[in-house]
Amino acid sequence: MSAMKKYKDLVEELRSYEGLASMFAEAAAGIDAAGDSEAIEAARVAHLGRKSKLSQLLRSIPELPNEEKPVVGKYGNKARAALEQALADRKKEIEGVQLEHRLATEQVDITLPGEPFPRGHLHIINQTLWEIEDIFAGLGYRIAEGPEVESDYYNFTALNTPEGHPARSSHDTFFVDGKEDVLLRTHTSPVQIRLMEKEEPPIYAIMPGRVYRRDSDATHTPMFHQIEGLAIDEHITMADLKGTLETFMRAIFGADRVIRLRPHFFPFTEPSVEMDVSCMICGGAGCRSCKNSGWLEILGAGMVDPNVFGFVDYDPDLVQGFAFGMGVERIAMLKHGMTDLRMFYDNDLRFIKQF
Amino acid sequence: MKVPISWLKEYVAIDMSAAELADRLALTGTEVERVLHVGLPVDDGNLDRFVVGRVKKKGAHPNADKLTLCEVEVGDGKVEQIVCGAKNFKEGDRTAVCLPGGTLPDGRKLEAAVIRGVESRGMMCSESELGLSSESAGIMILPEDAPVGTRLVDYIPFSDEVLELEITPNRPDCLSVYGIAREVAAITGAALAPEPTQDVEPRGGDSIEELITITVDDGELCPRYGARLIAGVRVAPSPTWLKARIVAAGMRPVNNVVDITNYVMWTLGEPMHAFDLAKIAGPSLNARRAGKGEKITTIDGTERKLDQNMLVIADATKPTAIAGIMGGAGSEVSDETTDILLEAANFNGPNVMKTEMALGLRSESSTRFEKGLDAEVVPKALAMASRMMVELCSGRLVPGEYDIYAEPRSEQAIHLREEKVTSLLGIVVPGAEIEAILSRLDFESHREGDSLHVTVPSFRADVEREVDLIEEIVRVFGYELIPPTLPSDVRVMGGLSPYQSAERKIALALTAAGINEAITYTFIAPDFADRLRLADDDSRRQVVKLANPLSIDQSVIRTLMLPSLLMSVATNLSMRNPDVNIFELGRTYHTVAGEKLADERRTVAGCLCGSLRGESWMHAGRETDYFTGKGIVEAVFSSVKGSFSVERCDEPFLHPGKSAYVVIDGKRAGYMGEVHPLVLEAFDIDKPVVAFEILEDALIASSAGIVIFEDLLTFPASFQDIAVVVDEQTAAEEIIRVVREAGAPLLRGARVFDTYTGDQVGEGKKSIALGLEFRSPERTLTDEDVDGARAAILAALGERLGATLRG
Ligand SMILES: [Zn+2]
């Protein structure tokens, strides 16, 4: 509201002294007319400054006749106070307009990208490993690790795969030059033996790590990752193995997955099974990924063979347990849809940064 | 192992489709790779369009000399006119006729056609057209008793489903059609026919012992050796039905003698060998180890060097077969062969495997023997093969046989506790069910209280223990009946160890700093040491070498992470990825004198190339330098609450002025710095790279552990800035150390916020500006407190480092 309007009643009052009303009206109009900070300052100097009419009037009070003194004092000061207030109000008003104007002109293109803060990506293999580790940590498993340059004894013999065993020929082993019985481990199973040698049951552990096989194409890389699990206790059963695997599969591939066990052969477990999970891509109806069977082969497992217990001095009549093992790349591929294993190890950032 | 369904059905009466059977096999332990179809397609009545025909009239084609024009009876009194390109038949011959609309195995469809002006309604087929051989000289002539008009498939199995099975190495008994039949009978309950091993009567007044001497020198490698003689055979192509079987099983028909040995192998799982008796010197055979330097040319025409670990079948002068693996070319059966020595033997599996691997030679025979076969099948195989040779090759079984079997198999029995079945499986399998399953698998059992006394059949050498029997029971009983449970009695704690948690923190600190995780191969090219400019006596040249690498580029195991990461940087730059910031949590591998295995050191390493922040429309990226690397290393240490100091570094692969050792507790635990330009060149990298590599054990051990609370809130701190001028050579770290010592106990923080060299401080000098933080846990500090500490600091700096307060 303009000062003229706001102080209409005051102006009427001021008419009680000759000239004061018009003086006020002039000042109020000047304040109202001020359009920016400089004009406000000019109005303050003109109407409230030392040389302003009002200041001069107030300064002249001592020289006025006695009867006029109180009137001029009272109304003059009232007018001064009102003008100061009007000036402050007007100033605020102008600043508000100026701010609005500034904000209105400061509009940015909100669709431009934000300031890039660096964020690195964990390799998808490691992300998958962590996920699996966390699931089993929740089931009460520890994480055990072991050497990659391994002896024949731990990689084969103690796993009930003696020299000449037909299962050896399928492993495509890398051997270390100059040392007859040293090799790059072909699976993480030797860690099971090392763990059992070192500790007494109960043992609940998973064993992740790099393993090596002498093979290279779209579905084989000479180095890849496995994760194995081992549970040894007094009453561990095949039913516990089945339940553990089902829980794991549902945790990693979704709550509506079902599993099935098929008999298989591994030297270090008996009975041995392969585990299939219902295809998460087609839901079991059959698709390319599951070769129209509705099932995806995921891992091998079984009850630890008594001969293996023999190598680590456990009594198979007192303890029993299960073991399982899987390829981490396979889990990642099924989950994320890659088809060429070699991509995992090209370390092309365009690949790594996807995950 | 390919198993044609029609062949399987000879031994087991199944009434399910091949697909259903495949499912059942898969769920009981026999993996089915796929179900194939061989021979004539079955769709839309195609099989009805192939019949046995009879050539009623063979005449000349009116318009073409090379063609014949025939009238062929095709059943039901119908006669079709057929133009034919072959001439190898006469009127009255029976042959396979494809009627118009029929589709051949290769997918070709035949229609009635006019050939050189004459209508032809059908085709008389050759063996190659029916997929029975790769080439054939003319049409197929069927035996005279072939019933005209019947469907061809009812006469000869020309259209079959074939199961392609993957047999696990513990079940060599399933490497045979009869073995699979036995398995199928057990898992489906279908009736099993007896083994097709009925013998044939010998004829003649001679005997095998008079005609050849056979001995076994090495009974360990050859536990059993059986042989028979078939005299007067006529070597010729096999009859069509046999060819069809051989083809369906995925083999190649050769001649009747070879086809019979293969047929018996496929049926019973026992590899056999046929020698031409006339080509055996002596004639005598001996199963012995090869002599040093002995050689043999095998039937594939390759000369092979033998050694004393290999078993051979030798005649009087030389090895004439590599036992169980491949026969020699010298005694191979040919068209002129008349007398055949038929071998069925049992060889030591592990030894066969060793020999195979040493020679790089595998065959259908050796892949069976390597798994350890049942010695009891030897006489059965000889009986079956003899009968077939007599029937199909017009041979005569010479009286007598060799069967050298020093230590006959003793009966295997296992004690099976029902309670163990329950405790291992977690489900009760009723006793009667256990007995029924064992009986179907050919295990005899009788009850002894709560246990069973179980006798193992000879062909199941893989079953030795109670637990093996339990596996047999559960796989037939069905895993689907086992309930899913979780271990109910877990008394241990799971989770990550403090070390493993720390490793994750390190990885997360690095990703939070914008660095991506790589996983590189641990094996690299041996020239990495040269490329890194390592000195000749650098211990990191002592690598673990692979004996059988895939290539020279992956033939040694790294002793430093750097080369693996530099290769990844180079790859990424070549892919035009502009900023390559990568790290890896991996291991390096070091040989240790006197130790068998390597010293594997867990290491966190990284390479920074380009900018960490990346360019944006807002600002240009900042190129990485030594201090970026150091900042990253500081972040890594901070993530595990660890700390380190630095020492000037002389690694040959780093910039000598812009690199440092990472020192923990006085010991070097890694390095950081700019990579030497010559090393970058050697790795084809044309941009600066900053690298770091820190031993994780030391890094994690440097952790301060549990943080004890310090009151930073109750009493305010006082802040002061000072700038001092020192010699240019004085290290910032040293200045800070002096400041901290002199300022104690009130000085709680000192950090460099500016450095300056130039005119204002004079030649050889630099100015360092420090922000100082003073604080007491007990009171608010007064100006006098702070001034006193500050004076002490300046005095110490002046005294110990010759520092002066700057203007
Ligand atoms: Zn699917």
Side-chain angles (χ1 to χ4, degrees), chain A residues 201-204 231-237 240 303 309 315-321, chain B residues 419-420 423-424 487-491:
Chain A
I203 287 178
Y204 294 85
I232 311 285
D233 210 333
E234 285 166 26
H235 308 295
I236 299 279
T237 66
D240 292 336
M303 303 303 289
F309 285 147
D315 183 344
D317 273 331
L318 296 181
V319 293
Q320 56 192 32
Chain B
E419 160 261 316
K420 187 68 181 174
S423 81
L424 196 68
S488 52
D489 194 21
V490 183
R491 287 155 293 148

PDB file of all heavy atoms in Angstrom, chain A residues 201-204 231-237 240 303 309 315-321, chain B residues 419-420 423-424 487-491:
ATOM      1  N   PRO A 201      35.239 -80.541  13.820  1.00  0.00           N
ATOM      2  CA  PRO A 201      33.840 -80.145  13.631  1.00  0.00           C
ATOM      3  C   PRO A 201      33.268 -79.597  14.938  1.00  0.00           C
ATOM      4  O   PRO A 201      33.809 -79.932  15.988  1.00  0.00           O
ATOM      5  CB  PRO A 201      33.152 -81.465  13.256  1.00  0.00           C
ATOM      6  CG  PRO A 201      34.249 -82.426  12.945  1.00  0.00           C
ATOM      7  CD  PRO A 201      35.463 -81.977  13.675  1.00  0.00           C
ATOM      8  N   PRO A 202      32.204 -78.820  14.902  1.00  0.00           N
ATOM      9  CA  PRO A 202      31.434 -78.468  13.701  1.00  0.00           C
ATOM     10  C   PRO A 202      32.135 -77.439  12.816  1.00  0.00           C
ATOM     11  O   PRO A 202      32.780 -76.532  13.330  1.00  0.00           O
ATOM     12  CB  PRO A 202      30.151 -77.889  14.278  1.00  0.00           C
ATOM     13  CG  PRO A 202      30.503 -77.413  15.651  1.00  0.00           C
ATOM     14  CD  PRO A 202      31.590 -78.318  16.139  1.00  0.00           C
ATOM     15  N   ILE A 203      31.992 -77.627  11.513  1.00  0.00           N
ATOM     16  CA  ILE A 203      32.528 -76.674  10.543  1.00  0.00           C
ATOM     17  C   ILE A 203      31.389 -76.246   9.622  1.00  0.00           C
ATOM     18  O   ILE A 203      30.699 -77.096   9.045  1.00  0.00           O
ATOM     19  CB  ILE A 203      33.660 -77.322   9.719  1.00  0.00           C
ATOM     20  CG1 ILE A 203      34.918 -77.465  10.587  1.00  0.00           C
ATOM     21  CG2 ILE A 203      33.955 -76.499   8.468  1.00  0.00           C
ATOM     22  CD1 ILE A 203      36.069 -78.128   9.866  1.00  0.00           C
ATOM     23  N   TYR A 204      31.199 -74.951   9.534  1.00  0.00           N
ATOM     24  CA  TYR A 204      30.283 -74.408   8.527  1.00  0.00           C
ATOM     25  C   TYR A 204      31.057 -73.310   7.820  1.00  0.00           C
ATOM     26  O   TYR A 204      31.345 -72.276   8.417  1.00  0.00           O
ATOM     27  CB  TYR A 204      29.021 -73.835   9.179  1.00  0.00           C
ATOM     28  CG  TYR A 204      28.151 -74.872   9.853  1.00  0.00           C
ATOM     29  CD1 TYR A 204      28.397 -75.273  11.163  1.00  0.00           C
ATOM     30  CD2 TYR A 204      27.084 -75.455   9.167  1.00  0.00           C
ATOM     31  CE1 TYR A 204      27.610 -76.241  11.783  1.00  0.00           C
ATOM     32  CE2 TYR A 204      26.286 -76.419   9.777  1.00  0.00           C
ATOM     33  CZ  TYR A 204      26.554 -76.809  11.088  1.00  0.00           C
ATOM     34  OH  TYR A 204      25.773 -77.760  11.691  1.00  0.00           O
ATOM     35  N   ALA A 231      29.650 -78.206   5.269  1.00  0.00           N
ATOM     36  CA  ALA A 231      29.010 -78.250   6.594  1.00  0.00           C
ATOM     37  C   ALA A 231      29.269 -79.623   7.183  1.00  0.00           C
ATOM     38  O   ALA A 231      28.863 -80.634   6.603  1.00  0.00           O
ATOM     39  CB  ALA A 231      27.509 -77.986   6.469  1.00  0.00           C
ATOM     40  N   ILE A 232      30.001 -79.664   8.268  1.00  0.00           N
ATOM     41  CA  ILE A 232      30.312 -80.931   8.926  1.00  0.00           C
ATOM     42  C   ILE A 232      29.857 -80.832  10.379  1.00  0.00           C
ATOM     43  O   ILE A 232      30.238 -79.900  11.091  1.00  0.00           O
ATOM     44  CB  ILE A 232      31.835 -81.218   8.943  1.00  0.00           C
ATOM     45  CG1 ILE A 232      32.452 -81.030   7.561  1.00  0.00           C
ATOM     46  CG2 ILE A 232      32.119 -82.617   9.498  1.00  0.00           C
ATOM     47  CD1 ILE A 232      32.167 -82.113   6.587  1.00  0.00           C
ATOM     48  N   ASP A 233      29.036 -81.773  10.786  1.00  0.00           N
ATOM     49  CA  ASP A 233      28.534 -81.749  12.160  1.00  0.00           C
ATOM     50  C   ASP A 233      28.057 -83.157  12.471  1.00  0.00           C
ATOM     51  O   ASP A 233      28.199 -84.068  11.654  1.00  0.00           O
ATOM     52  CB  ASP A 233      27.393 -80.708  12.270  1.00  0.00           C
ATOM     53  CG  ASP A 233      27.305 -80.097  13.663  1.00  0.00           C
ATOM     54  OD1 ASP A 233      27.707 -80.771  14.627  1.00  0.00           O
ATOM     55  OD2 ASP A 233      26.811 -78.967  13.773  1.00  0.00           O
ATOM     56  N   GLU A 234      27.428 -83.315  13.634  1.00  0.00           N
ATOM     57  CA  GLU A 234      27.031 -84.677  14.003  1.00  0.00           C
ATOM     58  C   GLU A 234      25.855 -85.195  13.190  1.00  0.00           C
ATOM     59  O   GLU A 234      25.794 -86.368  12.852  1.00  0.00           O
ATOM     60  CB  GLU A 234      26.682 -84.706  15.495  1.00  0.00           C
ATOM     61  CG  GLU A 234      27.918 -84.668  16.376  1.00  0.00           C
ATOM     62  CD  GLU A 234      27.567 -84.357  17.821  1.00  0.00           C
ATOM     63  OE1 GLU A 234      26.421 -84.651  18.224  1.00  0.00           O
ATOM     64  OE2 GLU A 234      28.436 -83.827  18.529  1.00  0.00           O
ATOM     65  N   HIS A 235      24.906 -84.319  12.870  1.00  0.00           N
ATOM     66  CA  HIS A 235      23.661 -84.837  12.295  1.00  0.00           C
ATOM     67  C   HIS A 235      23.307 -84.218  10.951  1.00  0.00           C
ATOM     68  O   HIS A 235      22.134 -84.115  10.605  1.00  0.00           O
ATOM     69  CB  HIS A 235      22.498 -84.616  13.274  1.00  0.00           C
ATOM     70  CG  HIS A 235      22.775 -85.125  14.638  1.00  0.00           C
ATOM     71  ND1 HIS A 235      22.955 -86.472  14.905  1.00  0.00           N
ATOM     72  CD2 HIS A 235      22.943 -84.489  15.815  1.00  0.00           C
ATOM     73  CE1 HIS A 235      23.209 -86.630  16.193  1.00  0.00           C
ATOM     74  NE2 HIS A 235      23.215 -85.448  16.766  1.00  0.00           N
ATOM     75  N   ILE A 236      24.275 -83.768  10.213  1.00  0.00           N
ATOM     76  CA  ILE A 236      23.964 -83.151   8.914  1.00  0.00           C
ATOM     77  C   ILE A 236      23.466 -84.224   7.943  1.00  0.00           C
ATOM     78  O   ILE A 236      24.091 -85.277   7.801  1.00  0.00           O
ATOM     79  CB  ILE A 236      25.229 -82.496   8.326  1.00  0.00           C
ATOM     80  CG1 ILE A 236      25.742 -81.411   9.254  1.00  0.00           C
ATOM     81  CG2 ILE A 236      24.968 -81.968   6.936  1.00  0.00           C
ATOM     82  CD1 ILE A 236      25.036 -80.112   9.153  1.00  0.00           C
ATOM     83  N   THR A 237      22.351 -83.948   7.266  1.00  0.00           N
ATOM     84  CA  THR A 237      21.766 -84.941   6.360  1.00  0.00           C
ATOM     85  C   THR A 237      21.666 -84.401   4.935  1.00  0.00           C
ATOM     86  O   THR A 237      21.843 -83.207   4.682  1.00  0.00           O
ATOM     87  CB  THR A 237      20.337 -85.316   6.801  1.00  0.00           C
ATOM     88  OG1 THR A 237      19.504 -84.148   6.654  1.00  0.00           O
ATOM     89  CG2 THR A 237      20.307 -85.781   8.252  1.00  0.00           C
ATOM     90  N   ASP A 240      19.267 -81.706   4.778  1.00  0.00           N
ATOM     91  CA  ASP A 240      19.835 -80.394   5.116  1.00  0.00           C
ATOM     92  C   ASP A 240      20.523 -79.771   3.901  1.00  0.00           C
ATOM     93  O   ASP A 240      20.451 -78.563   3.686  1.00  0.00           O
ATOM     94  CB  ASP A 240      20.860 -80.524   6.253  1.00  0.00           C
ATOM     95  CG  ASP A 240      20.204 -80.917   7.573  1.00  0.00           C
ATOM     96  OD1 ASP A 240      19.004 -80.649   7.744  1.00  0.00           O
ATOM     97  OD2 ASP A 240      20.900 -81.502   8.422  1.00  0.00           O
ATOM     98  N   MET A 303      27.103 -85.574  -0.113  1.00  0.00           N
ATOM     99  CA  MET A 303      27.534 -85.833   1.255  1.00  0.00           C
ATOM    100  C   MET A 303      29.023 -86.188   1.205  1.00  0.00           C
ATOM    101  O   MET A 303      29.445 -86.980   0.365  1.00  0.00           O
ATOM    102  CB  MET A 303      26.728 -86.995   1.852  1.00  0.00           C
ATOM    103  CG  MET A 303      25.219 -86.768   1.841  1.00  0.00           C
ATOM    104  SD  MET A 303      24.692 -85.253   2.699  1.00  0.00           S
ATOM    105  CE  MET A 303      25.004 -85.707   4.405  1.00  0.00           C
ATOM    106  N   PHE A 309      37.030 -88.033   4.785  1.00  0.00           N
ATOM    107  CA  PHE A 309      37.178 -87.946   6.246  1.00  0.00           C
ATOM    108  C   PHE A 309      38.408 -88.721   6.699  1.00  0.00           C
ATOM    109  O   PHE A 309      39.092 -88.320   7.634  1.00  0.00           O
ATOM    110  CB  PHE A 309      35.927 -88.488   6.938  1.00  0.00           C
ATOM    111  CG  PHE A 309      34.748 -87.554   6.872  1.00  0.00           C
ATOM    112  CD1 PHE A 309      33.453 -88.051   6.791  1.00  0.00           C
ATOM    113  CD2 PHE A 309      34.931 -86.187   6.900  1.00  0.00           C
ATOM    114  CE1 PHE A 309      32.363 -87.195   6.731  1.00  0.00           C
ATOM    115  CE2 PHE A 309      33.852 -85.323   6.855  1.00  0.00           C
ATOM    116  CZ  PHE A 309      32.550 -85.827   6.765  1.00  0.00           C
ATOM    117  N   ASP A 315      36.117 -89.241  12.111  1.00  0.00           N
ATOM    118  CA  ASP A 315      35.473 -90.548  12.165  1.00  0.00           C
ATOM    119  C   ASP A 315      34.095 -90.456  11.496  1.00  0.00           C
ATOM    120  O   ASP A 315      33.202 -89.784  12.015  1.00  0.00           O
ATOM    121  CB  ASP A 315      35.327 -90.981  13.627  1.00  0.00           C
ATOM    122  CG  ASP A 315      34.722 -92.373  13.740  1.00  0.00           C
ATOM    123  OD1 ASP A 315      34.144 -92.862  12.736  1.00  0.00           O
ATOM    124  OD2 ASP A 315      34.813 -92.955  14.838  1.00  0.00           O
ATOM    125  N   PRO A 316      33.930 -91.113  10.347  1.00  0.00           N
ATOM    126  CA  PRO A 316      32.657 -90.987   9.616  1.00  0.00           C
ATOM    127  C   PRO A 316      31.468 -91.568  10.370  1.00  0.00           C
ATOM    128  O   PRO A 316      30.330 -91.363   9.972  1.00  0.00           O
ATOM    129  CB  PRO A 316      32.913 -91.742   8.302  1.00  0.00           C
ATOM    130  CG  PRO A 316      34.107 -92.572   8.532  1.00  0.00           C
ATOM    131  CD  PRO A 316      34.889 -91.975   9.656  1.00  0.00           C
ATOM    132  N   ASP A 317      31.723 -92.289  11.465  1.00  0.00           N
ATOM    133  CA  ASP A 317      30.587 -92.744  12.257  1.00  0.00           C
ATOM    134  C   ASP A 317      30.185 -91.707  13.301  1.00  0.00           C
ATOM    135  O   ASP A 317      29.119 -91.808  13.895  1.00  0.00           O
ATOM    136  CB  ASP A 317      30.900 -94.086  12.928  1.00  0.00           C
ATOM    137  CG  ASP A 317      30.567 -95.240  11.980  1.00  0.00           C
ATOM    138  OD1 ASP A 317      29.648 -95.055  11.146  1.00  0.00           O
ATOM    139  OD2 ASP A 317      31.233 -96.280  12.048  1.00  0.00           O
ATOM    140  N   LEU A 318      31.027 -90.701  13.508  1.00  0.00           N
ATOM    141  CA  LEU A 318      30.690 -89.671  14.488  1.00  0.00           C
ATOM    142  C   LEU A 318      30.230 -88.375  13.832  1.00  0.00           C
ATOM    143  O   LEU A 318      29.428 -87.638  14.393  1.00  0.00           O
ATOM    144  CB  LEU A 318      31.905 -89.371  15.384  1.00  0.00           C
ATOM    145  CG  LEU A 318      32.388 -90.539  16.256  1.00  0.00           C
ATOM    146  CD1 LEU A 318      33.566 -90.108  17.111  1.00  0.00           C
ATOM    147  CD2 LEU A 318      31.241 -91.046  17.139  1.00  0.00           C
ATOM    148  N   VAL A 319      30.795 -88.073  12.666  1.00  0.00           N
ATOM    149  CA  VAL A 319      30.388 -86.836  11.986  1.00  0.00           C
ATOM    150  C   VAL A 319      30.040 -87.150  10.536  1.00  0.00           C
ATOM    151  O   VAL A 319      30.538 -88.111   9.958  1.00  0.00           O
ATOM    152  CB  VAL A 319      31.497 -85.756  12.008  1.00  0.00           C
ATOM    153  CG1 VAL A 319      31.745 -85.261  13.408  1.00  0.00           C
ATOM    154  CG2 VAL A 319      32.771 -86.274  11.378  1.00  0.00           C
ATOM    155  N   GLN A 320      29.177 -86.339   9.986  1.00  0.00           N
ATOM    156  CA  GLN A 320      28.908 -86.401   8.556  1.00  0.00           C
ATOM    157  C   GLN A 320      28.595 -84.995   8.086  1.00  0.00           C
ATOM    158  O   GLN A 320      28.406 -84.086   8.899  1.00  0.00           O
ATOM    159  CB  GLN A 320      27.779 -87.385   8.252  1.00  0.00           C
ATOM    160  CG  GLN A 320      26.485 -87.100   8.981  1.00  0.00           C
ATOM    161  CD  GLN A 320      25.502 -88.270   8.865  1.00  0.00           C
ATOM    162  OE1 GLN A 320      25.900 -89.427   8.798  1.00  0.00           O
ATOM    163  NE2 GLN A 320      24.226 -87.950   8.830  1.00  0.00           N
ATOM    164  N   GLY A 321      28.564 -84.831   6.780  1.00  0.00           N
ATOM    165  CA  GLY A 321      28.336 -83.468   6.321  1.00  0.00           C
ATOM    166  C   GLY A 321      28.162 -83.401   4.823  1.00  0.00           C
ATOM    167  O   GLY A 321      28.255 -84.406   4.123  1.00  0.00           O
TER     168      GLY A 321
ATOM    169  N   GLU B 419      19.575 -97.833   9.726  1.00  0.00           N
ATOM    170  CA  GLU B 419      19.658 -96.618  10.532  1.00  0.00           C
ATOM    171  C   GLU B 419      20.614 -95.609   9.872  1.00  0.00           C
ATOM    172  O   GLU B 419      20.414 -94.403   9.924  1.00  0.00           O
ATOM    173  CB  GLU B 419      20.087 -97.053  11.936  1.00  0.00           C
ATOM    174  CG  GLU B 419      20.686 -96.024  12.850  1.00  0.00           C
ATOM    175  CD  GLU B 419      22.203 -96.101  12.872  1.00  0.00           C
ATOM    176  OE1 GLU B 419      22.754 -97.241  12.948  1.00  0.00           O
ATOM    177  OE2 GLU B 419      22.817 -95.046  12.775  1.00  0.00           O
ATOM    178  N   LYS B 420      21.652 -96.110   9.205  1.00  0.00           N
ATOM    179  CA  LYS B 420      22.601 -95.210   8.526  1.00  0.00           C
ATOM    180  C   LYS B 420      21.928 -94.573   7.301  1.00  0.00           C
ATOM    181  O   LYS B 420      22.198 -93.412   6.973  1.00  0.00           O
ATOM    182  CB  LYS B 420      23.849 -96.000   8.114  1.00  0.00           C
ATOM    183  CG  LYS B 420      24.969 -95.142   7.558  1.00  0.00           C
ATOM    184  CD  LYS B 420      25.608 -94.219   8.598  1.00  0.00           C
ATOM    185  CE  LYS B 420      26.694 -93.366   7.986  1.00  0.00           C
ATOM    186  NZ  LYS B 420      27.221 -92.375   8.960  1.00  0.00           N
ATOM    187  N   SER B 423      19.960 -91.763   8.772  1.00  0.00           N
ATOM    188  CA  SER B 423      20.734 -90.653   9.334  1.00  0.00           C
ATOM    189  C   SER B 423      21.477 -89.885   8.253  1.00  0.00           C
ATOM    190  O   SER B 423      21.719 -88.700   8.382  1.00  0.00           O
ATOM    191  CB  SER B 423      21.692 -91.162  10.413  1.00  0.00           C
ATOM    192  OG  SER B 423      22.845 -91.711   9.816  1.00  0.00           O
ATOM    193  N   LEU B 424      21.833 -90.542   7.173  1.00  0.00           N
ATOM    194  CA  LEU B 424      22.558 -89.824   6.117  1.00  0.00           C
ATOM    195  C   LEU B 424      21.598 -89.041   5.217  1.00  0.00           C
ATOM    196  O   LEU B 424      21.908 -87.941   4.777  1.00  0.00           O
ATOM    197  CB  LEU B 424      23.378 -90.810   5.271  1.00  0.00           C
ATOM    198  CG  LEU B 424      24.451 -90.165   4.406  1.00  0.00           C
ATOM    199  CD1 LEU B 424      25.563 -89.566   5.259  1.00  0.00           C
ATOM    200  CD2 LEU B 424      25.043 -91.162   3.413  1.00  0.00           C
ATOM    201  N   PRO B 487      20.244 -77.303   8.669  1.00  0.00           N
ATOM    202  CA  PRO B 487      20.900 -77.874   9.848  1.00  0.00           C
ATOM    203  C   PRO B 487      20.278 -77.264  11.109  1.00  0.00           C
ATOM    204  O   PRO B 487      20.156 -76.055  11.228  1.00  0.00           O
ATOM    205  CB  PRO B 487      22.363 -77.461   9.682  1.00  0.00           C
ATOM    206  CG  PRO B 487      22.539 -77.324   8.213  1.00  0.00           C
ATOM    207  CD  PRO B 487      21.223 -76.794   7.708  1.00  0.00           C
ATOM    208  N   SER B 488      19.879 -78.135  12.049  1.00  0.00           N
ATOM    209  CA  SER B 488      19.019 -77.665  13.140  1.00  0.00           C
ATOM    210  C   SER B 488      19.819 -77.302  14.376  1.00  0.00           C
ATOM    211  O   SER B 488      19.301 -76.786  15.323  1.00  0.00           O
ATOM    212  CB  SER B 488      18.027 -78.764  13.493  1.00  0.00           C
ATOM    213  OG  SER B 488      18.744 -79.972  13.715  1.00  0.00           O
ATOM    214  N   ASP B 489      21.105 -77.562  14.357  1.00  0.00           N
ATOM    215  CA  ASP B 489      21.844 -77.594  15.599  1.00  0.00           C
ATOM    216  C   ASP B 489      23.126 -76.779  15.479  1.00  0.00           C
ATOM    217  O   ASP B 489      24.170 -77.175  15.968  1.00  0.00           O
ATOM    218  CB  ASP B 489      22.166 -79.080  15.858  1.00  0.00           C
ATOM    219  CG  ASP B 489      22.624 -79.311  17.269  1.00  0.00           C
ATOM    220  OD1 ASP B 489      22.318 -78.449  18.101  1.00  0.00           O
ATOM    221  OD2 ASP B 489      23.298 -80.322  17.520  1.00  0.00           O
ATOM    222  N   VAL B 490      23.068 -75.647  14.743  1.00  0.00           N
ATOM    223  CA  VAL B 490      24.305 -74.919  14.480  1.00  0.00           C
ATOM    224  C   VAL B 490      24.811 -74.249  15.755  1.00  0.00           C
ATOM    225  O   VAL B 490      24.116 -73.452  16.366  1.00  0.00           O
ATOM    226  CB  VAL B 490      24.078 -73.853  13.381  1.00  0.00           C
ATOM    227  CG1 VAL B 490      25.381 -73.156  13.059  1.00  0.00           C
ATOM    228  CG2 VAL B 490      23.510 -74.504  12.134  1.00  0.00           C
ATOM    229  N   ARG B 491      26.033 -74.587  16.160  1.00  0.00           N
ATOM    230  CA  ARG B 491      26.574 -74.045  17.418  1.00  0.00           C
ATOM    231  C   ARG B 491      27.787 -73.159  17.161  1.00  0.00           C
ATOM    232  O   ARG B 491      28.611 -72.958  18.028  1.00  0.00           O
ATOM    233  CB  ARG B 491      26.982 -75.196  18.337  1.00  0.00           C
ATOM    234  CG  ARG B 491      25.809 -75.930  18.953  1.00  0.00           C
ATOM    235  CD  ARG B 491      26.201 -77.351  19.306  1.00  0.00           C
ATOM    236  NE  ARG B 491      26.453 -78.120  18.084  1.00  0.00           N
ATOM    237  CZ  ARG B 491      27.342 -79.094  17.990  1.00  0.00           C
ATOM    238  NH1 ARG B 491      28.080 -79.417  19.010  1.00  0.00           N
ATOM    239  NH2 ARG B 491      27.501 -79.744  16.836  1.00  0.00           N
TER     240      ARG B 491
END
